[in-house]
Amino acid sequence: MTDAGPLLVAEDLRKHFPAKTGALFAGHDTVRAVDGVSFTIERGRTLALVGESGCGKSTVSRLVLRLIEPTDGRVMFDGRDLTKLSAEALRKARQDFQMVFQDPYASLSPRERVSDIIAEPLRVHNAVDGRRAQRDRVVELLERVGLSAWHGDRFPHQFSGGQRQRIGIARAIALNPKLVVADEPVSALDVSVQSQVINLLSDLQVEYGIAYLFVAHDLAVVKHIADTVAVMYLGRIVEIAEKRALFARPHHPYTQALLSAVPNPDPDARRSQIVLAGDVPSPTRVPSGCRFHTRCPIAQEICRRVDPAPQTVADDHAVACHFAKPHPIPADRPAGADRA
Ligand code: SF4
């Protein structure tokens, strides 16, 4: 709609829903899957949303596309509040934001030829005039993602995982979207193929100015594609910063732990890996105070009582921790040692 200002602004997004418990207790528990998440994505830039399984990052990606309705908060996309659009206005707006899914095996219809799969958004939005123009556009897209025109006659099961993800990307960019939400797009792929797909996404970003919301559970995966990294824990962003600042000076103990798990050829760096105690708590039983205190290696008494508000520690760098510091946690300090 407008080329001024950020492309997407998520404001205090929340998604709560009743827990699936036994009939006796139904309705007593609430899953706080997303619990107050805010961020901005600039045009042609990439925000990576990173966290362990169950932290709410995939739910955020669906809220942003309004594939599910938020409990609270809003999503401003290109100057418009997506959460207030009618069904018809939302259908039209969807030309500008598309999704690449985690599982390239499940996200493509096995009974459709690849050319029909890629042409689907073109048909739905009447984006091209006539069958010939549609065929030409499909060939153009196939070639742009590193496949060939003749691949269009084949079915998804005849391709490797990396090739299927290329097909999913071709479908996602068919309408020249302004935003692509990529939900763990490489986590089902071999490491060697992961970098090829990430390089393809980077090239497409340069060529077409696409912005990405890139969801991943691994900081190593986002190192090359992210401009900004937001680290999520139990429904909240606990640290957000420009990528170089986050990798060089992580302030939150959770970010430090995730970074320490990134494979590093330096043996000294390997020795300093921080292993967190326990699992992520259930989003139906969010801990009091700082929700990370049950696993935090440097937790103090205040952490159990007071929820830390995000504080700005440098330009475009915010951290939700009472004791945010830019230094890594000492390697010989056992996780949970100072727990309140
Ligand atoms: Fe750890 Fe306390 Fe900071 Fe939470 S507020 S991350 S428990 S030090």
Side-chain angles (χ1 to χ4, degrees), residues 252-254 290-294 296-300 303 306 308 320-324:
H252 196 284
Y254 182 58
C290 172
R291 51 190 66 200
F292 186 56
H293 85 258
T294 56
C296 180
I298 59 168
Q300 307 291 318
C303 305
V306 182
C321 171
H322 297 304
F323 303 101

mmCIF file of all heavy atoms in Angstrom, residues 252-254 290-294 296-300 303 306 308 320-324, ligand 1:
data_model
loop_
_atom_site.group_PDB
_atom_site.id
_atom_site.type_symbol
_atom_site.label_atom_id
_atom_site.label_comp_id
_atom_site.label_asym_id
_atom_site.label_seq_id
_atom_site.Cartn_x
_atom_site.Cartn_y
_atom_site.Cartn_z
ATOM 1 N N HIS A 252 21.349 -11.921 27.312
ATOM 2 C CA HIS A 252 20.431 -12.760 28.095
ATOM 3 C C HIS A 252 21.046 -14.147 28.299
ATOM 4 O O HIS A 252 21.597 -14.726 27.350
ATOM 5 C CB HIS A 252 19.094 -12.881 27.351
ATOM 6 C CG HIS A 252 17.978 -13.388 28.221
ATOM 7 N ND1 HIS A 252 17.858 -14.706 28.570
ATOM 8 C CD2 HIS A 252 16.963 -12.732 28.837
ATOM 9 C CE1 HIS A 252 16.785 -14.859 29.339
ATOM 10 N NE2 HIS A 252 16.225 -13.670 29.521
ATOM 11 N N PRO A 253 20.943 -14.702 29.511
ATOM 12 C CA PRO A 253 21.523 -16.027 29.754
ATOM 13 C C PRO A 253 20.993 -17.106 28.809
ATOM 14 O O PRO A 253 21.730 -18.035 28.452
ATOM 15 C CB PRO A 253 21.112 -16.329 31.198
ATOM 16 C CG PRO A 253 20.883 -15.002 31.819
ATOM 17 C CD PRO A 253 20.378 -14.098 30.729
ATOM 18 N N TYR A 254 19.735 -16.971 28.385
ATOM 19 C CA TYR A 254 19.194 -17.973 27.459
ATOM 20 C C TYR A 254 19.857 -17.856 26.088
ATOM 21 O O TYR A 254 20.231 -18.865 25.476
ATOM 22 C CB TYR A 254 17.676 -17.806 27.342
ATOM 23 C CG TYR A 254 17.029 -18.826 26.443
ATOM 24 C CD1 TYR A 254 17.155 -20.192 26.687
ATOM 25 C CD2 TYR A 254 16.286 -18.432 25.330
ATOM 26 C CE1 TYR A 254 16.570 -21.136 25.855
ATOM 27 C CE2 TYR A 254 15.697 -19.357 24.497
ATOM 28 C CZ TYR A 254 15.843 -20.712 24.759
ATOM 29 O OH TYR A 254 15.254 -21.625 23.928
ATOM 30 N N CYS A 290 10.414 -13.921 36.390
ATOM 31 C CA CYS A 290 11.044 -14.205 35.097
ATOM 32 C C CYS A 290 10.746 -15.652 34.722
ATOM 33 O O CYS A 290 11.075 -16.580 35.473
ATOM 34 C CB CYS A 290 12.555 -13.998 35.195
ATOM 35 S SG CYS A 290 13.398 -14.559 33.702
ATOM 36 N N ARG A 291 10.155 -15.845 33.558
ATOM 37 C CA ARG A 291 9.732 -17.211 33.193
ATOM 38 C C ARG A 291 10.914 -18.138 32.896
ATOM 39 O O ARG A 291 10.726 -19.331 32.762
ATOM 40 C CB ARG A 291 8.719 -17.180 32.041
ATOM 41 C CG ARG A 291 9.132 -16.381 30.838
ATOM 42 C CD ARG A 291 7.959 -16.213 29.878
ATOM 43 N NE ARG A 291 6.898 -15.396 30.463
ATOM 44 C CZ ARG A 291 5.638 -15.395 30.030
ATOM 45 N NH1 ARG A 291 5.283 -16.151 29.012
ATOM 46 N NH2 ARG A 291 4.731 -14.641 30.619
ATOM 47 N N PHE A 292 12.123 -17.579 32.840
ATOM 48 C CA PHE A 292 13.312 -18.405 32.607
ATOM 49 C C PHE A 292 13.987 -18.811 33.930
ATOM 50 O O PHE A 292 14.974 -19.543 33.927
ATOM 51 C CB PHE A 292 14.288 -17.627 31.717
ATOM 52 C CG PHE A 292 15.504 -18.395 31.272
ATOM 53 C CD1 PHE A 292 15.394 -19.594 30.587
ATOM 54 C CD2 PHE A 292 16.780 -17.911 31.526
ATOM 55 C CE1 PHE A 292 16.517 -20.310 30.180
ATOM 56 C CE2 PHE A 292 17.917 -18.609 31.123
ATOM 57 C CZ PHE A 292 17.773 -19.816 30.447
ATOM 58 N N HIS A 293 13.456 -18.360 35.092
ATOM 59 C CA HIS A 293 14.224 -18.511 36.334
ATOM 60 C C HIS A 293 14.436 -19.976 36.738
ATOM 61 O O HIS A 293 15.407 -20.295 37.412
ATOM 62 C CB HIS A 293 13.594 -17.701 37.479
ATOM 63 C CG HIS A 293 12.489 -18.383 38.229
ATOM 64 N ND1 HIS A 293 11.153 -18.095 38.029
ATOM 65 C CD2 HIS A 293 12.514 -19.350 39.183
ATOM 66 C CE1 HIS A 293 10.415 -18.829 38.834
ATOM 67 N NE2 HIS A 293 11.204 -19.618 39.537
ATOM 68 N N THR A 294 13.536 -20.876 36.302
ATOM 69 C CA THR A 294 13.699 -22.277 36.699
ATOM 70 C C THR A 294 14.889 -22.951 36.010
ATOM 71 O O THR A 294 15.329 -24.022 36.423
ATOM 72 C CB THR A 294 12.430 -23.091 36.374
ATOM 73 O OG1 THR A 294 12.139 -22.941 34.978
ATOM 74 C CG2 THR A 294 11.244 -22.618 37.199
ATOM 75 N N CYS A 296 17.627 -20.801 34.749
ATOM 76 C CA CYS A 296 18.670 -19.794 34.550
ATOM 77 C C CYS A 296 19.881 -20.054 35.457
ATOM 78 O O CYS A 296 19.726 -20.194 36.673
ATOM 79 C CB CYS A 296 18.105 -18.411 34.824
ATOM 80 S SG CYS A 296 19.351 -17.128 34.594
ATOM 81 N N PRO A 297 21.089 -20.071 34.891
ATOM 82 C CA PRO A 297 22.290 -20.319 35.700
ATOM 83 C C PRO A 297 22.616 -19.185 36.667
ATOM 84 O O PRO A 297 23.383 -19.389 37.600
ATOM 85 C CB PRO A 297 23.407 -20.457 34.653
ATOM 86 C CG PRO A 297 22.736 -20.616 33.348
ATOM 87 C CD PRO A 297 21.397 -19.962 33.454
ATOM 88 N N ILE A 298 22.064 -17.989 36.467
ATOM 89 C CA ILE A 298 22.432 -16.872 37.342
ATOM 90 C C ILE A 298 21.211 -16.278 38.050
ATOM 91 O O ILE A 298 21.237 -15.136 38.503
ATOM 92 C CB ILE A 298 23.168 -15.768 36.552
ATOM 93 C CG1 ILE A 298 22.300 -15.237 35.413
ATOM 94 C CG2 ILE A 298 24.504 -16.286 36.025
ATOM 95 C CD1 ILE A 298 22.861 -13.956 34.792
ATOM 96 N N ALA A 299 20.137 -17.059 38.174
ATOM 97 C CA ALA A 299 18.909 -16.545 38.788
ATOM 98 C C ALA A 299 19.144 -16.122 40.237
ATOM 99 O O ALA A 299 19.904 -16.760 40.971
ATOM 100 C CB ALA A 299 17.827 -17.615 38.709
ATOM 101 N N GLN A 300 18.485 -15.049 40.639
ATOM 102 C CA GLN A 300 18.524 -14.561 42.020
ATOM 103 C C GLN A 300 17.100 -14.560 42.569
ATOM 104 O O GLN A 300 16.145 -14.812 41.843
ATOM 105 C CB GLN A 300 19.103 -13.139 42.062
ATOM 106 C CG GLN A 300 20.455 -12.992 41.368
ATOM 107 C CD GLN A 300 21.578 -13.703 42.098
ATOM 108 O OE1 GLN A 300 21.654 -13.653 43.324
ATOM 109 N NE2 GLN A 300 22.432 -14.384 41.358
ATOM 110 N N CYS A 303 14.303 -12.745 40.769
ATOM 111 C CA CYS A 303 13.868 -13.320 39.482
ATOM 112 C C CYS A 303 12.587 -14.141 39.651
ATOM 113 O O CYS A 303 11.793 -14.252 38.720
ATOM 114 C CB CYS A 303 14.972 -14.187 38.891
ATOM 115 S SG CYS A 303 16.533 -13.327 38.693
ATOM 116 N N VAL A 306 9.714 -11.024 40.284
ATOM 117 C CA VAL A 306 9.474 -9.860 39.423
ATOM 118 C C VAL A 306 9.764 -10.203 37.958
ATOM 119 O O VAL A 306 10.866 -10.649 37.622
ATOM 120 C CB VAL A 306 10.346 -8.666 39.865
ATOM 121 C CG1 VAL A 306 10.052 -7.444 38.990
ATOM 122 C CG2 VAL A 306 10.123 -8.361 41.337
ATOM 123 N N PRO A 308 10.900 -9.410 34.521
ATOM 124 C CA PRO A 308 11.746 -8.329 34.014
ATOM 125 C C PRO A 308 11.176 -7.707 32.736
ATOM 126 O O PRO A 308 10.851 -8.421 31.787
ATOM 127 C CB PRO A 308 13.083 -9.034 33.732
ATOM 128 C CG PRO A 308 12.722 -10.457 33.499
ATOM 129 C CD PRO A 308 11.493 -10.749 34.304
ATOM 130 N N ALA A 320 15.241 -8.738 28.163
ATOM 131 C CA ALA A 320 14.350 -8.852 29.320
ATOM 132 C C ALA A 320 15.040 -9.689 30.392
ATOM 133 O O ALA A 320 14.894 -10.917 30.431
ATOM 134 C CB ALA A 320 13.026 -9.481 28.903
ATOM 135 N N CYS A 321 15.851 -9.037 31.209
ATOM 136 C CA CYS A 321 16.577 -9.737 32.287
ATOM 137 C C CYS A 321 17.008 -8.704 33.323
ATOM 138 O O CYS A 321 17.485 -7.627 32.961
ATOM 139 C CB CYS A 321 17.805 -10.450 31.704
ATOM 140 S SG CYS A 321 18.919 -11.124 32.957
ATOM 141 N N HIS A 322 16.850 -9.043 34.610
ATOM 142 C CA HIS A 322 17.275 -8.110 35.667
ATOM 143 C C HIS A 322 18.790 -7.938 35.694
ATOM 144 O O HIS A 322 19.292 -6.940 36.193
ATOM 145 C CB HIS A 322 16.833 -8.637 37.039
ATOM 146 C CG HIS A 322 15.353 -8.725 37.194
ATOM 147 N ND1 HIS A 322 14.510 -7.658 37.006
ATOM 148 C CD2 HIS A 322 14.539 -9.785 37.515
ATOM 149 C CE1 HIS A 322 13.261 -8.025 37.212
ATOM 150 N NE2 HIS A 322 13.250 -9.310 37.517
ATOM 151 N N PHE A 323 19.510 -8.933 35.197
ATOM 152 C CA PHE A 323 20.973 -8.903 35.313
ATOM 153 C C PHE A 323 21.645 -9.039 33.940
ATOM 154 O O PHE A 323 22.663 -9.716 33.809
ATOM 155 C CB PHE A 323 21.440 -10.029 36.251
ATOM 156 C CG PHE A 323 20.804 -9.955 37.611
ATOM 157 C CD1 PHE A 323 19.739 -10.791 37.938
ATOM 158 C CD2 PHE A 323 21.240 -9.028 38.549
ATOM 159 C CE1 PHE A 323 19.131 -10.708 39.185
ATOM 160 C CE2 PHE A 323 20.637 -8.947 39.799
ATOM 161 C CZ PHE A 323 19.574 -9.781 40.119
ATOM 162 N N ALA A 324 21.047 -8.405 32.948
ATOM 163 C CA ALA A 324 21.582 -8.522 31.585
ATOM 164 C C ALA A 324 23.006 -7.987 31.519
ATOM 165 O O ALA A 324 23.273 -6.854 31.917
ATOM 166 C CB ALA A 324 20.685 -7.739 30.626
HETATM 167 FE FE1 SF4 B 1 18.010 -15.215 34.747
HETATM 168 FE FE2 SF4 B 1 16.936 -13.538 36.487
HETATM 169 FE FE3 SF4 B 1 17.741 -12.659 34.128
HETATM 170 FE FE4 SF4 B 1 15.588 -14.189 34.327
HETATM 171 S S1 SF4 B 1 15.834 -12.132 35.159
HETATM 172 S S2 SF4 B 1 17.203 -14.388 32.831
HETATM 173 S S3 SF4 B 1 16.197 -15.588 35.957
HETATM 174 S S4 SF4 B 1 19.023 -13.498 35.742
#
